[in-house]
Amino acid sequence: MKNLSLKQLRYFEALALHSHFGRAANACAVSQPALSVQIRDLEISLGAKLFERGARRARLTSFGEEFALRVRLILRSVDELSELALASRDRLVGRLRIGIIPTIAPYLLPAIIGNMTRMHDGIDLQIRETLTPQLVEELIEGRLDAAIVALPISEPSLTEVTLFEENFVLVRPDRDAGKPVPNRKALREMKLLLLEEGHCFRNQALSFCNIASSRPREILDASSLATLVQMVGAGMGVTLIPEMAIAVETRSAPVSIARFSAPQPTRTIGMIWRKTSPLSKQLIEISEIVRQSAAALEPCDQALAATPDTLAQQP
Amino acid sequence: MKNLSLKQLRYFEALALHSHFGRAANACAVSQPALSVQIRDLEISLGAKLFERGARRARLTSFGEEFALRVRLILRSVDELSELALASRDRLVGRLRIGIIPTIAPYLLPAIIGNMTRMHDGIDLQIRETLTPQLVEELIEGRLDAAIVALPISEPSLTEVTLFEENFVLVRPDRDAGKPVPNRKALREMKLLLLEEGHCFRNQALSFCNIASSRPREILDASSLATLVQMVGAGMGVTLIPEMAIAVETRSAPVSIARFSAPQPTRTIGMIWRKTSPLSKQLIEISEIVRQSAAALEPCDQALAATPDTLAQQP
DNA sequence: TCACAGTGATAATTTGAAATTATGAAAAAT
DNA sequence: ATTTTTCATAATTTCAAATTATCACTGTGA
């Protein structure tokens, strides 16, 4: 037994409307026999007559009327499907799940969320903040659509786009503000406070100092940059933070910021997503929004650049 | 651009469920390429990707999930269509519009309605009581599904089935109860009360008496058998009524009933419907119900038969 | 009553869509 | 590196659906 088709339902609706095979066929832009046969097949597959064929007109049986009610609803729902597709063709729609590493999130998120909701109104933006390996795993498993991390990730299944480069700056107690900026070697002898194991920023800082991350040191690990800065303010040592964090984190502690000379420590922040993601087009667009959001934070950087060696920031 | 089909939606649903082309195809009892191509075509015609093809599994995009929600509802509605058809295949369903002539309706209707609702629970039975020409017209126009009338109708477009034969009996004032039953000739000289013009029963009665319906007579036409009987009870004349009406109509008037001898006046009651009606099968079944409903009224007839010449009915 | 127009069903044929089998390419697993 | 898994693609076949042509039935009007 053949299955009923949408085409049959559309023919049926037309015939129910026109009560006339010829006119209904015309409305469907097909020949009369085409419609006749489809209606007949529909009735056969239903096992019930839908129309009563009179000499002058075809009228619905009571079953046909019952049927027509439901068919109308179904066809309208199907039409809505196409409309839905049309509406969400270029516009980003629905849920978008983005992961961000903790050493970026607090500083970039407000701007990102603001710009995203402004440019893609009605989007359901879900943010997940956690460490890079976790983000990559969730991304690969399809539990995230994209992630903002430090590059490179070097997962072959992921696309990476660079968002921006950011320098690290030295954070030291206020009383050290005037002192010369230590070089990498000198830094190695100082009490360097770091984030706890797992943060990519920890390894990036260590690698700048040429310290093997495995090497045992008398360091107190913190779980956030905010804590690190507070620890520095309390005179427990020095630390590095991404320049993006300066504005937020140094406001509430008696610390001074110093930019390193020449071979500045730096890292590349980028966005990653599955190569197979059908959102690629939109994600590239989103990466541009993120890039602009980050650039809008630059003024603070400019200020730093103006006083290349040291810069004190007071609460 | 090709239109989307139910088949595509079913394939889509299967793939959304299994997240795997091979298994989804298997579930649909088709080959994997068949399903792949249909999904691809669906995505093309929508202009949006529904699935993200990973190496290990195909997962829904967020648009795909939105889509799946709607598709699920649509497919369930379509499935219901078939179920609806199945349910109403043999069972009579929905509205059934039956017309009945006034000289039958009051006596047969209670039984018909009772039996119909008992045997076809949930049916929407609509009854129309009016004169034969009106019923035939409405039937032909499709405003009625069937009618119960006196045969023959001789409309080539209508099917007629006989339900039963019913005799006419003489109704005369109580005081005449003992008198001999008049024959047709004697009846012609009596004051015969009749229904008003238009009732088939009027003509049937006249024709029994061999009186041309056009011939002017000093008769007072009534609009119902009930009125006729009351008029007889008031001594205004005699009348004929169908035997089916005896029980109901003679209960509240001082009249006596007399059955005619040998060539009893009679009429054939039948059911008619459009030859083209797809309800034919069910209507035949219904005619059987009506026939049985009428037969169940017989006991009254039996009583008459036991006292062949006269029978007095008192309130 | 007889042709005639209107209407829908049916048949033969063509067209087109969707299935199958076979095969290829990419990624994952071994 | 090799094998396996998985999906896409191509060529072909199969089946459904369209078209044109024609017939049968109905009701209408001359």
Side-chain angles (χ1 to χ4, degrees), chain B residues 7 22 77 79 124 164 176-177 198 206 208 222 238 280 283-284 293:
Chain B
K7 197 176 301 198
S77 300
D79 294 343
D124 174 15
F164 52 86
D176 299 343
L206 288 173
F208 172 66
V238 301
S280 294
L283 288 172
I284 289 173
S293 302

Side-chain angles (χ1 to χ4, degrees), chain A residues 6 21 46 218 225:
Chain A
L6 276 185
F21 282 74
L46 290 174
E218 62 288 87
L225 294 180

Side-chain angles (χ1 to χ4, degrees), chain B residues 3-314:
Chain B
N3 253 338
L4 61 95
S5 68
L6 277 185
K7 197 176 301 198
Q8 289 175 331
L9 297 188
R10 295 206 184 274
Y11 289 179
F12 166 78
E13 188 182 39
L15 183 54
L17 179 65
H18 289 99
S19 300
H20 186 285
F21 282 75
R23 280 189 281 280
N26 198 47
C28 296
V30 294
S31 65
Q32 170 263 314
L35 189 133
S36 281
V37 169
Q38 286 306 314
I39 296 294
R40 175 172 56 78
D41 289 355
L42 179 58
E43 289 178 328
I44 289 173
S45 83
L46 289 173
K49 283 260 179 276
L50 292 167
F51 293 94
E52 178 187 339
R53 278 83 159 162
R56 48 177 51 266
R57 66 208 218 92
R59 69 169 63 83
L60 283 169
T61 62
S62 76
F63 168 65
E65 280 180 10
E66 177 82 20
F67 197 78
L69 277 179
R70 295 160 178 266
V71 167
R72 223 158 277 147
L73 291 177
I74 290 173
L75 290 180
R76 293 300 78 78
S77 300
V78 171
D79 294 343
E80 275 177 9
L81 280 185
S82 310
E83 289 165 22
L84 173 71
L86 205 66
S88 62
R89 189 164 298 184
D90 281 313
R91 210 163 55 82
L92 195 55
V93 90
R95 181 199 53 187
L96 182 70
R97 299 158 303 180
I98 297 185
I100 313 192
I101 52 174
T103 47
I104 302 276
Y107 323 112
L108 203 49
L109 264 188
I112 292 179
I113 292 176
N115 287 334
M116 282 295 294
T117 51
R118 197 172 314 119
M119 302 189 61
H120 293 282
D121 189 43
I123 198 173
D124 174 15
L125 194 61
Q126 298 179 3
I127 304 291
R128 168 122 176 81
E129 177 191 339
T130 189
L131 304 180
T132 301
Q134 182 72 17
L135 289 179
V136 170
E137 181 189 332
E138 294 186 4
L139 198 51
I140 289 176
E141 283 178 11
R143 280 152 48 207
L144 284 177
D145 296 305
I148 295 171
V149 297
L151 300 183
I153 295 299
S154 300
E155 273 287 337
S157 65
L158 299 181
T159 296
E160 306 183 348
V161 302
T162 298
L163 291 172
F164 52 86
E165 301 277 327
E166 68 171 358
N167 295 325
F168 303 163
V169 295
L170 179 68
V171 182
R172 50 186 177 176
D174 231 349
R175 59 169 186 272
D176 299 343
K179 296 185 182 171
V181 178
N183 60 14
R184 294 156 66 172
K185 194 160 151 209
L187 197 59
R188 222 173 302 160
E189 304 315 315
M190 298 173 75
K191 190 152 190 177
L192 184 61
L193 305 174
L194 292 174
L195 288 177
E196 57 196 8
E197 192 70 47
H199 287 270
C200 57
F201 186 71
R202 171 195 175 95
N203 300 327
Q204 286 148 6
L206 288 173
S207 98
F208 172 66
C209 308
N210 270 336
I211 304 171
S213 108
S214 57
R215 176 175 155 190
R217 288 166 34 90
E218 63 286 88
I219 47 178
L220 295 156
D221 296 339
S223 65
S224 74
L225 294 180
T227 309
L228 274 186
V229 173
Q230 294 302 322
M231 288 164 74
V232 171
M236 298 171 69
V238 301
T239 193
L240 301 181
I241 63 171
E243 56 186 16
M244 186 174 280
I246 295 173
V248 173
E249 302 299 357
T250 63
R251 209 159 269 169
S252 57
V255 296
S256 94
I257 299 299
R259 182 176 289 276
F260 293 99
S261 54
Q264 283 200 42
T266 185
R267 67 173 179 177
T268 304
I269 299 300
M271 202 163 105
I272 57 179
W273 56 83
R274 291 181 300 280
K275 280 182 176 150
T276 54
S277 173
L279 295 177
S280 294
K281 189 155 150 281
Q282 285 95 330
L283 288 172
I284 289 173
E285 189 187 341
I286 285 165
S287 73
E288 189 52 45
I289 294 177
V290 174
R291 193 171 293 122
Q292 288 167 5
S293 302
L297 301 177
E298 284 294 311
C300 148
D301 190 30
Q302 302 280 326
L304 256 182
T307 56
D309 269 350
T310 65
L311 182 101
Q313 307 243 156
Q314 295 292 104

Side-chain angles (χ1 to χ4, degrees), chain A residues 43-259:
Chain A
E43 289 178 327
I44 289 173
S45 83
L46 290 174
K49 284 258 179 279
L50 292 167
F51 294 93
E52 179 185 338
R53 277 80 159 166
R56 49 179 49 266
R57 64 205 223 92
R59 69 168 64 84
L60 283 169
T61 62
S62 74
F63 168 64
E65 280 179 11
E66 177 81 19
F67 196 78
L69 278 179
R70 295 161 178 265
V71 167
R72 224 158 278 146
L73 292 177
I74 289 173
L75 290 180
R76 293 302 79 76
S77 301
V78 171
D79 294 343
E80 276 177 8
L81 280 186
S82 311
E83 290 165 20
L84 173 71
L86 206 65
S88 62
R89 190 163 300 185
D90 280 315
R91 212 163 53 83
L92 193 55
V93 91
R95 180 200 54 186
L96 182 70
R97 300 159 302 180
I98 297 185
I100 313 191
I101 53 174
T103 45
I104 302 277
Y107 322 112
L108 203 50
L109 265 188
I112 292 179
I113 293 177
N115 286 335
M116 282 294 295
T117 52
R118 197 173 315 118
M119 302 190 60
H120 293 282
D121 190 43
I123 199 173
D124 173 15
L125 194 61
Q126 298 178 4
I127 304 291
R128 168 124 175 79
E129 178 192 336
T130 188
L131 305 179
T132 302
Q134 182 72 15
L135 289 178
V136 170
E137 182 189 330
E138 294 186 7
L139 198 51
I140 290 176
E141 283 177 12
R143 281 149 51 207
L144 284 177
D145 297 306
I148 294 172
V149 296
L151 300 184
I153 296 297
S154 300
E155 273 287 335
S157 64
L158 300 181
T159 296
E160 306 184 347
V161 302
T162 297
L163 291 173
F164 52 85
E165 302 277 327
E166 68 171 358
N167 295 325
F168 302 166
V169 296
L170 178 68
V171 183
R172 50 185 176 178
D174 232 347
R175 60 171 184 270
D176 299 343
K179 296 184 183 171
V181 178
N183 60 14
R184 294 158 64 174
K185 195 162 151 205
L187 198 57
R188 224 172 302 160
E189 304 313 317
M190 299 174 76
K191 191 154 191 175
L192 185 60
L193 305 175
L194 292 174
L195 287 177
E196 58 195 8
E197 191 71 47
H199 285 271
C200 58
F201 187 70
R202 173 195 173 95
N203 301 325
Q204 286 147 7
L206 286 174
S207 99
F208 172 65
C209 307
N210 269 339
I211 303 171
S213 109
S214 58
R215 177 175 155 184
R217 287 167 36 87
E218 62 288 87
I219 47 181
L220 295 157
D221 296 340
S223 65
S224 74
L225 294 180
T227 308
L228 274 185
V229 173
Q230 294 303 322
M231 287 164 75
V232 171
M236 297 172 69
V238 302
T239 193
L240 302 181
I241 62 170
E243 57 186 17
M244 187 174 278
I246 295 172
V248 173
E249 301 300 355
T250 64
R251 211 158 270 168
S252 56
V255 295
S256 93
I257 300 298
R259 181 175 291 276

